Structures are given as structure tokens and as C-alpha cells.
Amino acid sequence: MTGRKLRILQVLRAPVGGLFRHVADLTRALERRGHELGIVVDTLANDAQTETLLAALEPHAALGIHRRPMPRLFGPGDLVTPFSVGRLARRLDIDILHGHGAKGGFYARLAPFIPRRTRIFYTPHGGVLHYPAASASGRVFHRIEKALMRRTAAIIFESAYARQTYEALIGAPACPTSIVHNGLNDEEFEPVPPQEEAADFVFVGELRDLKGIFPLVEALALTTGPGGRPASLVMAGEGPERARLESRIVELGLDGRVRLVGSQPARTVFPMGRCAVVPSLAESLPYVVLEAAAARLPLIATKVGGIPEIFGPTAAELVPAGDAAALAGAMRGFLADPQAADAAMRQRLAHVRTGFSVAAMTDAIEALYQADAANPSA
């Protein structure tokens, strides 16, 4: 640990997905460096997966895991939770209050009567950036963002794309900003070889429109390998569009070529395919791309969000979002020349290993905390 021991409270809504992965990694790493951590999460999201994730994090959260109502959209919890977060920050004598995502960022920065020395940080994680400026909800959220800048010690963007999008939608931040990429742990760079019976392609993600699941199966229908062999696909995940996806698979005549295996950890699913496909229509800085690159899978992805930052020297290979024909072309290219895909994979691996580690992520965020805590009047 560099600098003094800090008392840190992190606020987020749903403890699932990449946002929670980031908070969990940061919590564990900062706790190992001698800081004391607490977490505020949504009391409305309490399924078995949530409870398992939070139970695993409890030993690293000396200041406790606290539940507060955090509705996905506007609701009664939005009126009471900021006051509750403020009271909690006072009771725990917090040095750093860090809001993650749209709701976490709102609650942290709206919290009243926090200790004078408490500094408030905010990481959007996509969140408010996914709301178009022309939509009613977008206009509301963007106005709130502008108003809350004066209560923000710094905005930490997880990608250059996120900062550019924020500036385009909301305006240049009036507070300091920093780009700190998400990172992986050392063990996640262990290779994951494909099973002998692996499908050609594997998808890991939520089954909803935004993840590009429909262009993916439409692309598969256009994809054959050498000799005209039909390509195969494993899809891991659950979500609101599963039933519609199943119907579309049948409509396309793919029911023998696509296998849905439900929600499973990425590294459990990766061996089921020889090439990972991330066909998202929108993203921030998706962990699944980092994880697939680190696991040494050839990778096809769309040119959205911060994915070009992860692809680095191989960014020219990215395909347009929502374009089934372009996606099919990339998939056929993998089947036709797996050696070229393997060479590109090794370039990506070197790039990700160098710039996307939990240690580097924690170093950067801890340095921001310490610098601001040392100068609370700034």
C-alpha cells in the first residue's frame, strides 16, 4: 500500500455482470493492500447468483455489505437511498465514496451530509452513456449528470471510448477525469484449449438484443466451412430474449447447429468452441473480450465501445455491428484459415497481457484515491 490506509465505500446497483466483476476485483485488491472496504448494493436484486457472489466478497469487505433499494428505472428508492448512503458514509467515517454505473453514481453524488473530507468518485461503466440524447430518459439522466459534476472529485472512465461518448452526450467534464482499463488476474491468462468435440464458435453473454444474438445466428446460417460443412455454435447465457432466440434458430433451420447451454462462467464455456464471437451492438469495455483474448481463443467481435482498445494491433479485423453478412464473412475467414486467426490471437494476447491487469487497474485507482485524499480542499 502506498499512502495512508483508506476507508472506502463502493456503491452499485445489481451485483452481476462486468460492473460487479470490476468492483469485486477492486475490492479484493484494495483489501490486500491494507484498505478497508464496504459495498452498497440493491436490496431488490437478491437471487441465488447474487447471494453467492456477495457471500464470496464478504471476507474482503470489512466495512460490510449493505442493501438499499435501487430500482432499475426511477422509483421510490431513488428518493430515500441517497439519504441512506449519506448516513452510512457518516457512520462508517468514509474517506472515499465511489459510485459505479448510473444509479451507483447518482446515489454516491446525491448523498447529503457526508463527512467534509469524503471524496466522491464516479465510474459510468456504460450506464448513462447507453441512453440516447434524443430520448426522454436520456435527457433526464444527462441533465442529472451535468448537475452532479460539481460533487465529483473525478470521473474514472474504463475506456477512451467511454470518455469520448460522455463528452459527446453530456459535455466536457468540469471535474478531473482519468482512463483506467479493466484488468484480469494472472490465472486468467492460463490457456483454455478446445474440447475434442468443440463447436466451431462460442458465444458467452446475456441473451438480449443489445448483445447481437440475432445477427449472430443469422450469420451462422450463412456460414459453412471447407467442403461446405455447416458451421456450429454454442451459446452460453440467459436473458429476456431466450424464447425469441429459440424461435429464430428454428426459423433459420439451425436447431441442429446451435446449442444453448444456459448461464455458465466464461472459462467453463470457452472449451466448448474453437473461436469466440462477440457480436454486440453496443458495449463499454466488455470483460468477455478480455477473457477470451487471455484464454488464447481466436476472437471475432464488432467494432463498438472500447473493443478496439482491447483488440489493439488487430483492431482492423473488427466487423460492423448488426451486419450479419460481415459477421458471416469473418466466421468463414476463421474456418478457412485458422492459422491466420491463431497469429492474430497471439498479437492480442501480448497486447492484453501488457495493458489489462488487475494490478495495473488497482495501482491507477489507488493513486487517484490517495492523491485526492491528501488534498481534500481541491
Side-chain angles (χ1 to χ4, degrees), residues 65-201:
I65 296 177
H66 309 270
R67 309 298 189 95
R68 299 294 185 270
M70 301 181 184
R72 179 181 287 274
L73 300 176
F74 287 115
D78 294 323
L79 302 177
V80 299
T81 296
F83 290 92
S84 181
V85 170
R87 288 193 296 270
L88 185 62
R90 290 197 305 276
R91 177 164 65 82
L92 296 176
D93 198 26
I94 293 299
D95 299 299
I96 302 293
L97 184 58
H98 192 157
H100 297 266
K103 281 302 180 80
F106 290 164
Y107 297 141
R109 292 177 293 169
L110 286 170
F113 311 121
I114 60 175
R116 285 179 61 88
R117 76 169 194 283
T118 301
R119 308 295 285 163
I120 304 174
F121 289 78
Y122 167 49
T123 303
H125 295 283
V128 72
L129 307 182
H130 290 323
Y131 292 91
S135 69
S137 54
R139 288 193 295 272
V140 171
F141 281 126
H142 297 165
R143 287 192 191 109
I144 293 173
E145 280 289 333
K146 286 183 180 179
L148 291 177
M149 278 188 204
R150 60 187 176 81
R151 298 207 70 196
T152 310
I155 301 176
I156 302 173
F157 294 103
E158 70 276 21
S159 65
Y161 163 82
R163 184 163 70 181
Q164 292 163 3
T165 304
Y166 189 97
E167 291 178 354
L169 290 173
I170 296 158
C175 60
T177 67
S178 183
I179 297 170
V180 179
H181 287 132
N182 295 332
L184 300 178
N185 293 294
D186 290 345
E187 60 270 20
E188 292 177 277
F189 286 90
E190 290 296 318
V192 180
Q195 300 167 350
E196 186 174 341
E197 68 279 13
D200 295 305
F201 302 101

Side-chain angles (χ1 to χ4, degrees), residues 21 181-190 267 270 285-299 301 306-315 318 343-361:
R21 159 71 195 266
H181 287 132
N182 295 332
L184 300 178
N185 293 294
D186 290 345
E187 60 270 20
E188 292 177 277
F189 286 90
E190 290 296 318
R267 286 180 68 87
F270 285 156
L285 192 79
Y287 271 102
V288 70
V289 178
L290 290 171
E291 290 167 333
R296 306 186 191 188
L297 263 74
L299 183 57
I307 293 179
E309 295 168 58
I310 301 173
F311 263 58
T314 63
L318 293 168
M345 174 274 290
R346 295 187 183 282
Q347 283 187 284
R348 266 190 305 277
L349 173 66
H351 175 69
V352 169
R353 191 190 291 279
T354 300
F356 297 82
S357 72
V358 167
M361 177 185 82

Side-chain angles (χ1 to χ4, degrees), residues 252-288:
L252 292 167
L254 299 174
D255 35 322
R257 296 167 56 186
V258 180
R259 185 158 63 102
L260 303 180
V261 298
S263 182
Q264 300 184 42
R267 286 180 68 87
T268 300
V269 178
F270 285 156
M272 300 181 190
R274 301 183 185 280
C275 176
V277 185
V278 182
S280 301
L281 306 184
E283 284 288 358
S284 182
L285 192 79
Y287 271 102
V288 70

Side-chain angles (χ1 to χ4, degrees), residues 227-242:
R229 178 183 60 83
S232 56
L233 168 68
V234 167
M235 299 185 74
E238 294 291 349
E241 299 294 335
R242 174 160 183 154

Side-chain angles (χ1 to χ4, degrees), residues 38-80:
I39 299 173
V40 183
V41 297
D42 180 20
T43 194
L44 305 175
N46 55 358
D47 58 19
Q49 182 184 13
T50 295
E51 296 305 322
T52 299
L53 290 169
L54 292 176
L57 202 52
E58 271 184 359
H60 307 279
L63 301 182
I65 296 177
H66 309 270
R67 309 298 189 95
R68 299 294 185 270
M70 301 181 184
R72 179 181 287 274
L73 300 176
F74 287 115
D78 294 323
L79 302 177
V80 299

